[in-house]
Amino acid sequence: MTLGLVSLAGLPMPAWASWVMPPAAAPATGLMLVLALVALWLMKRRADLALRRQQASLASLRQDWQAAETRWQAVVEQSDNAVQAATSERDRLQQALFSSEQRLQRHLECASELVFALDLDGRFQQLSSNWRQALGVDPEHLLGQSHAWLVHSDDLPACQRIIERALASRSLQGEVEYRIRHAEGDWHWHAARVAPLFDPGGRMVGLLGVARELGAGLQPGSLQRAHFDALTGLPGSILCLDRLQQALLQAERHGERAAWLQVELDHFKSLNERWGHAIGDLVLLEVAARIAACVRRSDTVGRASGDQFMVLLPDVGCEREALEVADKIRRALREPMPLRGQQLALTSSIGVALYPLHGMDEDELSLGAGLAVRRAKEAGRDRIALPDRLPGDWHQVLEPA
């Protein structure tokens, strides 16, 4: 074998061999060629891997795009459906509104009472057709006019208060009586109730009123108003004193006791100045309701004037029983009153006069209760007092809780 290789080495090389592998550099050149081939193979492999990754990324992008296109088509379909639904609902609401307006117009045409709508500034927005007969004026000519243009100037404050109470309480208000101008120049008495109007979002947009004619000349109901308070509906001073007189006759006949309470709100004038008369009227209504809830059905709760209330307790057992009722009223009035989102704090001074201890007739008991109220205020308000003394053994009554 060695001889063969040697002999082969001695043979002459072909001409092409000098180009493929030069004799001197043949081993190094072959190695470099191998390395170059390996490098090319690695580069091709990396390029193939990069190409496959790009193809995979492109496929993923195609899938994402198809999914996004599907979602977009679904959104478009949903939007189209929503638009169709909104259009249908709009058409339905427009039809309902039209029907409602038609019904309202028919009600206004057929109403036996006088119906009117005011905006928040007190201007007429709508009137029933019977206003023409009531005032001798075409209702169309009143649209946009202020209600103050029709109402007698002496009655305008009462009308304004009931409007303010309706707006402040967001609820229906009781009747107010007033004179209204007729086309012939005379004045006719009307009585009206008003309630606030709201839009679908709950925002107050105006007032709806229903009025009735009371007639011309003297105002009907004057006897009623002389005996009952116009705001609270409670008996007034005349009726309360008459009931006190009857209770005293009954007490004298049967040897019983009776008590007369005078309740005055502390610093009510300041509350009125700060919050306005509309809120003040709502407070008085709440006070009347709270006092009435503290007494028996056989007792009488009345309002004298302003912030002064009266309570008659016929057939009261003893002084302590009368003081207990007074304390119950005082504590009830001290509970916060939620009005216009505010918690209004209120206190009261209460005078208690008893028959026959502090007086033998209605005049003496009324005077004694007034003196007791003054004593309670001088002692610091939010207290109960008797005409002749502060009930010193009643610390739980005297001292604020």
Side-chain angles (χ1 to χ4, degrees), residues 56-359:
S57 177
L58 183 59
S60 177
L61 289 174
R62 287 197 187 99
Q63 292 177 354
D64 292 343
W65 170 257
Q66 292 173 353
E69 188 176 11
T70 302
R71 288 194 299 270
W72 171 252
Q73 291 175 351
V75 170
V76 170
E77 292 177 0
Q78 291 177 357
S79 178
D80 291 340
N81 293 336
V83 169
Q84 293 176 359
T87 302
S88 301
E89 181 66 11
R90 182 197 61 193
D91 294 341
R92 186 189 69 80
L93 291 175
Q94 287 178 342
Q95 182 61 38
L97 177 61
F98 177 77
S99 301
S100 177
E101 289 176 343
Q102 290 292 311
R103 287 195 299 271
L104 177 59
Q105 188 62 36
R106 293 294 177 267
H107 287 319
L108 292 176
E109 292 173 357
C110 300
S112 58
E113 294 183 311
L114 302 167
V115 183
F116 60 93
L118 302 174
D119 63 15
L120 294 177
D121 294 323
R123 293 187 296 262
F124 288 109
Q125 297 297 299
Q126 201 166 16
L127 298 104
S128 54
S129 58
N130 52 2
W131 279 86
R132 183 192 307 273
Q133 180 180 356
L135 299 181
V137 177
D138 187 349
E140 293 291 330
H141 295 161
L142 298 177
L143 297 180
Q145 294 281 356
S146 172
H147 71 285
W149 184 74
L150 292 175
V151 178
H152 196 286
S153 58
D154 292 343
D155 306 321
L156 191 58
C159 294
Q160 191 60 35
R161 281 197 299 272
I162 200 170
I163 289 175
E164 291 175 356
R165 286 206 304 270
L167 296 176
S169 65
R170 301 170 68 89
S171 62
L172 174 68
Q173 297 300 306
E175 279 193 339
V176 58
E177 296 179 1
Y178 54 93
R179 284 161 291 183
I180 195 165
R181 188 196 309 272
H182 194 272
E184 297 179 357
D186 56 342
W187 297 91
H188 289 202
W189 282 101
H190 285 194
R193 305 180 70 187
V194 295
L197 291 172
F198 304 94
D199 65 10
R203 185 173 60 92
M204 197 179 311
V205 294
L207 291 162
L208 178 68
V210 177
R212 58 190 178 91
E213 294 185 83
L214 300 178
L218 294 178
Q219 182 178 8
S222 57
L223 182 62
Q224 172 80 4
R225 283 188 301 280
H227 289 84
F228 291 90
D229 176 53
L231 174 63
T232 63
L234 295 176
S237 298
I238 296 176
L239 185 55
C240 284
L241 290 173
D242 180 71
R243 291 184 182 180
L244 174 59
Q245 185 180 31
Q246 298 302 317
L248 294 179
L249 292 175
Q250 184 77 8
E252 182 182 7
R253 184 178 299 115
H254 298 284
E256 299 170 345
R257 295 181 179 87
W260 179 256
L261 280 59
Q262 183 171 315
V263 182
E264 293 190 11
L265 306 180
D266 296 330
H267 307 297
F268 182 73
K269 182 179 179 181
S270 299
L271 184 147
N272 246 347
E273 291 174 351
R274 178 181 179 185
W275 297 98
H277 291 285
I279 293 296
D281 288 347
L282 293 177
V283 169
L284 292 174
L285 289 169
E286 179 66 17
V287 167
R290 292 189 183 190
I291 294 177
C294 294
V295 300
R296 304 166 298 184
R297 295 184 62 182
S298 58
D299 300 329
T300 296
V301 178
R303 182 187 177 209
S305 62
D307 60 352
Q308 185 181 109
F309 292 82
M310 305 159 293
V311 180
L312 168 62
L313 306 176
D315 188 24
V316 68
C318 60
E319 176 183 299
R320 185 181 186 89
E321 183 177 332
L323 291 174
E324 285 176 347
V325 174
D327 186 51
K328 185 177 181 181
I329 293 172
R330 184 183 69 87
R331 292 178 181 274
L333 296 183
R334 293 180 76 243
E335 291 295 322
M337 297 185 183
L339 291 171
R340 273 191 179 177
Q342 302 288 334
Q343 297 290 332
L344 301 184
L346 193 68
T347 60
S348 60
S349 299
I350 304 177
V352 180
L354 293 104
Y355 168 86
L357 180 61
H358 302 119

Side-chain angles (χ1 to χ4, degrees), residues 266 330 334 347-349 376 380-384 397-400:
D266 296 330
R330 184 183 69 87
R334 293 180 76 243
T347 60
S348 60
S349 299
R381 303 180 187 272
D382 190 22
R383 280 162 169 73
I384 299 167
V397 172
L398 285 172
E399 299 301 328

Side-chain angles (χ1 to χ4, degrees), residues 37-57:
L37 291 175
V38 170
L40 288 173
W41 179 81
L42 290 174
M43 289 174 62
K44 182 178 182 303
R45 181 176 178 81
R46 283 196 296 270
D48 291 341
L49 290 174
L51 179 61
R52 283 196 293 269
R53 283 196 297 268
Q54 290 176 355
Q55 291 173 342
S57 177

